[in-house]
Structures are given as C-alpha cells and as structure tokens.
Amino acid sequence: MLRVRPIHFTSRIDEWERLLTDLGMIKTVDEPTWREFDAGSGRLALHFAEVGSAEDGTTSLGVEVGDLLEFARRTKEAGAAEGGTTAELIDADHGQSCRITAADGFSFLADQAARAADGSWVRSAEADPDLAVVAVWFSEDAVAAARTLRDIGARPRPIPGSGAIGNADTNTDVDTVESEAFTAKNGGILMVGTATGAGRAGLGFEYAGDLGALRERLDEAGHEAAVIEESAVPTLHVANPDADGLAAHPPLWISAAPALG
C-alpha cells in the first residue's frame, strides 16, 4: 500500500481549507493544528505554522503505507540493490514513522495509513474523483531521486511529449524543469524535477475532468483562477492561499491529466 500525502505548512490554514473544499476534497481529520483532506487520488495534510516562520508556506514530501516494518524492509532491500536509498523506523512527534533518505541526503517520511473497521484503507468516497494530489521533489540529481521513488514502490508513468513542471515549486523561481512522474498504487502522483540547490518539495494537483468547468467553479466560489498553456499542457493557476499581501507566493497549479496510451 502506497499513497501520496504531502504536508503543507501554513499560517493560513482556514484559507487553505476553503480552497481544498472548493476543489472537491473532503476533510477526514480535523484538529486545531492538523487537518487532512482526501482527493479522488491521494491525500494532503495541512499543518499550522506561525506567521513568518521558516516553515510557513512550505511543503514537505510524504507518503502513507500499509505496514511500516514491511515497507522499511522492502525499501532497504531495493536501495541496497540499486544503491543510495535507506529506510529506518523512527519515533516521530506524531508516532512511529519511517524515514526514507536518498543518496544526496534528502529525506522524507512514510507514515502508517489508517484502516477502517472493515480493514479497508480509510479514504473518502465523496471526494472529486477527477482530482489527484501531486507531490514534487526538486533535486539536483533527478536520476537518483527517481531511483529512490522506485525503491519505495512508486510506478513510473510516461509523460507525453517533453514533460515540464510549471511553478510547482513554491520555494524557487525556476519556471520550467525537466520532470519524471510516478503513480502510487493507492492514490496520488509523485514527480521529480531537476533544480539547483538543496532538495525540496513542491505541491500541485492534476485534474482528469473539464479544466474549464473547474475554473468556473472556483471563480464562482471567489477564487482567482485562469487556464494557461505550459509546455502544451493546459494548466489552471489558482491564487495561492499563502499569498496574504506580506509575502509573494506563486499560484497553485492544477494541470490537465495526460492522455496515456
């Protein structure tokens, strides 16, 4: 079991909840400083951050797995075969987790996914089925990053044409970067983008439905949104909830899902 679940840190958690709800996501966890939302594919967590803190407006790469011990074993085994990826069980602030570390030192966490009473993986059936969460990993060594994603069980997905990520990275001014995409068995998309500097994460979405209709829906809900073309791929840019007039933030992007053969 592997599901994409990045964590976005923000001082504007209510504004983010409003946008995610209008996108068709369903809130499944509601705590004062932690909220989780299901999309049709993948999940996103919001973590409260103090205004002006280093974390405010940043995203952390993250996934959910079915069995932490087995996941760590398989990842270590794959990493030993290909070289570079390590996995270790740790006691995090929120409980036991697994830290995955790539060859360049970039690390992220895999957390235990919750099960329902019937044993199935907890997810909302009411979320918009066309919406997918996209977690982006920016790295100077995209080849090694992609290898790590394969090591954790992500499945490579071809990108029609020459793939590019628009303003997916909320922490850099890079406009376009070469990319590689992966899918998680239980929902969500992982992308690797080449960029300079230390490894970091970005956040976006993908939509398999009518992007124009989604823009109209967001317009009616009071969100600034516009559809543009990026590398021949229609992309919906939505005003970033973190943009509060005090700090500049690039728009949140929602790309049209590729037609795969």
Side-chain angles (χ1 to χ4, degrees):
M1 188 277 185
L2 182 70
R3 177 165 50 201
V4 175
R5 194 222 57 199
I7 303 171
H8 187 72
F9 297 84
T10 178
S11 59
R12 299 173 66 80
I13 197 166
D14 291 331
E15 289 83 353
W16 268 95
E17 176 170 336
R18 175 172 168 264
L19 174 59
L20 298 181
T21 300
D22 291 338
L23 281 173
M25 299 184 75
I26 301 299
K27 183 165 60 175
T28 56
V29 176
D30 187 7
E31 298 177 0
T33 61
W34 177 271
R35 302 174 194 177
E36 292 183 17
F37 296 81
D38 277 2
S41 179
R43 172 175 288 173
L44 173 63
L46 298 179
H47 194 304
F48 178 76
E50 295 293 337
V51 176
S53 66
E55 288 186 326
D56 194 8
T58 66
T59 300
S60 176
L61 193 67
V63 296
E64 292 181 333
V65 300
D67 186 310
L68 284 174
L69 185 62
E70 179 64 10
F71 171 80
R73 184 192 68 79
R74 291 183 179 182
T75 299
K76 285 191 290 187
E77 185 176 272
E82 296 208 22
T85 304
T86 63
E88 61 174 333
L89 296 178
I90 63 169
D91 290 322
D93 292 343
H94 55 277
Q96 191 175 50
S97 185
C98 179
R99 179 187 290 121
I100 302 98
T101 305
D104 64 358
F106 179 83
S107 66
F108 59 96
L109 297 182
D111 290 326
Q112 180 75 49
R115 286 184 182 269
D118 63 0
S120 62
W121 304 115
V122 172
R123 66 176 300 273
S124 174
E126 300 176 1
D128 187 333
D130 289 327
L131 187 70
V133 175
V134 182
V136 188
W137 177 356
F138 291 94
S139 174
E140 290 189 325
D141 190 346
V143 173
R147 183 168 58 243
T148 292
L149 293 183
R150 290 194 297 270
D151 289 344
I152 70 170
R155 301 168 175 175
R157 186 185 74 172
I159 301 178
S162 178
I165 306 169
N167 267 330
D169 185 0
T170 59
N171 303 315
T172 186
D173 293 329
V174 172
D175 292 324
T176 57
V177 292
E178 294 304 313
S179 63
E180 186 172 354
F182 297 78
T183 58
K185 179 180 179 181
N186 296 87
I189 299 165
L190 293 161
M191 296 188 77
V192 172
T194 303
T196 59
R200 53 199 180 275
L203 171 66
F205 295 91
E206 190 174 272
Y207 199 66
D210 187 331
L211 209 60
L214 178 60
R215 179 192 60 78
E216 291 178 2
R217 192 171 85 204
L218 292 174
D219 279 343
E220 292 174 357
H223 302 282
E224 297 179 18
V227 176
I228 66 171
E229 292 281 331
E230 290 187 339
S231 301
V233 177
T235 304
L236 179 61
H237 279 194
V238 185
N240 193 319
D242 289 322
D244 57 1
L246 300 176
H249 291 275
L252 188 68
W253 57 268
I254 306 169
S255 62
L260 303 177

